[in-house]
Amino acid sequence: MTVDPAPATLIDGKAFAAGLVDRVAAASARLQQAHGVTPGLAVVIVGEDPASQIYVRNKGETTLRAGLRSDTHRLSEATTQADLLALIADLNGDAGIHGILVQLPLPGHIDTAAVLGAIDPDKDVDGFHVVNAGRLAVGLPGLVPCTPLGCLMLLKAELGDLSGLNAVIVGRSNIVGKPMAQLLLGESCTVTVAHSRTRDLPALCRTADILVAAVGRAEMVRGDWIRLGATVIDVGINRVPSRDPVKAAEGKTRVVGDVAFEEARMVAGRITPVPGGVGPMTIACLLANTYTAACRAAGVAPEPLDA
């Protein structure tokens, strides 16, 4: 007699992120009390992109809720690259600001690489600066990109020791795929990075104890790509038409990940839902990076923030 597998355990990123924000708030309060340092985050947004405006507002509200200093610099679409670089230089020199985040995307007339490269690496709480990428690659302390850092926290909370596990990462971006690979190598996983040129991607995915999907293609990873009992981390956030034909005709959408969730949850052992999985971890890890940067600036060892 065959027994149908039980649905996968859902990894509640929203709850974990809330706990992380609470831990950052408590650690920051102790830092302020003992050393007179309040972690400060400056967010710079150029233009009026609606999604960016909402994201920046949420960042600011969460930062204040955690007891950190929150400065938001809203610049017009017409802001020149020179003016933006001058603002970053001012923030680099502000001792009360420990983290600088420039919201992407930037307007087309601004060189994104030049702007990100102008941020002091020790204040680069997005973890995108080439210096921080290099530090991560060689195992030195640095600021790690927020999304892969959040993924790693969820994995360690769920699985404990990751050493020896086979990890497959689908996607090789500088923001998620590559740093995720470095983090998992640091945990002594055996890591494979897959991409658009990978041969027989489904078969490769089926070798994974840990499968991280970060390609930006809606529901690309199917249920039969997943090894029975594997842990699946879905980084994707994609908008697709509503299941309701009437709503779809009105242009209404729903959010899905890079994994076909309903198929995958019947095979995987653990899985992050979309929404409510990796997404909430990004802002929480941004605050954690700001706290870490503030500690390092003060010459103080950061407190562990894992659950």
Side-chain angles (χ1 to χ4, degrees):
M1 181 179 70
T2 60
V3 179
D4 290 336
T9 298
L10 297 187
I11 301 174
D12 190 343
K14 186 175 181 180
F16 190 99
L20 178 57
V21 170
D22 288 344
R23 294 191 293 278
V24 170
S28 297
R30 288 188 287 269
L31 178 66
Q32 203 285 328
Q33 184 176 28
H35 301 279
V37 175
T38 298
L41 173 64
V43 177
V44 180
I45 180 169
V46 184
E48 301 294 332
D49 178 72
S52 293
Q53 292 285 345
I54 293 170
Y55 195 40
V56 166
R57 184 174 68 246
N58 290 341
K59 286 175 181 174
E61 291 172 353
T62 308
T63 303
L64 290 173
R65 194 160 61 245
L68 279 62
R69 172 181 168 185
S70 176
D71 290 5
T72 301
H73 299 264
R74 300 181 185 276
L75 308 179
S76 75
E77 185 87 16
T79 298
T80 66
Q81 180 167 313
D83 286 343
L84 178 54
L85 291 174
L87 172 59
I88 291 172
D90 288 344
L91 295 173
N92 283 339
D94 186 340
I97 292 296
H98 305 97
I100 302 169
L101 182 148
V102 177
Q103 182 66 36
L104 302 179
L106 290 168
H109 66 278
I110 295 177
D111 183 342
T112 298
V115 170
L116 296 181
I119 298 171
D120 180 345
D122 292 333
K123 296 188 177 188
D124 167 41
V125 286
D126 253 340
F128 295 163
H129 196 288
V130 65
V131 168
N132 282 319
R135 288 171 176 167
L136 178 59
V138 299
L140 292 175
L143 294 168
V144 178
C146 299
T147 299
L149 178 59
C151 293
L152 182 66
M153 286 185 173
L154 292 177
L155 284 166
K156 292 175 74 172
E158 289 290 322
L159 301 176
D161 182 13
L162 306 181
S163 61
L165 296 180
N166 289 332
V168 173
I169 302 163
V170 186
R172 53 178 168 178
S173 73
N174 292 332
I175 295 172
V176 180
K178 291 177 183 176
M180 189 78 249
Q182 298 291 350
L183 288 171
L184 289 172
L185 283 170
E187 297 296 324
S188 298
C189 292
T190 300
V191 180
T192 305
V193 179
H195 45 77
S196 59
R197 300 293 181 89
T198 298
R199 296 179 181 176
D200 200 351
L201 180 58
L204 177 62
C205 290
R206 283 190 287 269
T207 68
D209 302 305
I210 297 169
L211 179 62
V212 181
V215 288
R217 290 180 57 188
E219 299 181 326
M220 187 186 85
V221 177
R222 311 308 303 187
D224 62 1
W225 294 23
I226 296 167
R227 180 178 179 175
L228 184 65
T231 298
V232 178
I233 303 294
D234 190 350
V235 182
I237 300 176
N238 310 283
R239 289 202 168 272
V240 298
S242 170
R243 285 195 179 97
D244 185 319
V246 175
K247 291 182 178 179
E250 295 171 348
K252 304 287 180 157
T253 61
R254 59 190 174 94
V255 175
V256 300
D258 290 348
V259 176
F261 178 78
E262 294 301 330
E263 297 176 11
R265 69 192 296 258
M266 300 311 297
V267 184
R270 298 172 177 84
I271 188 170
T272 56
V274 177
V278 173
M281 292 296 296
T282 300
I283 292 179
C285 287
L286 175 67
L287 301 190
N289 275 349
T290 302
Y291 163 75
T292 297
C295 289
R296 290 174 178 162
V300 176
E303 296 180 25
L305 295 173
D306 293 340

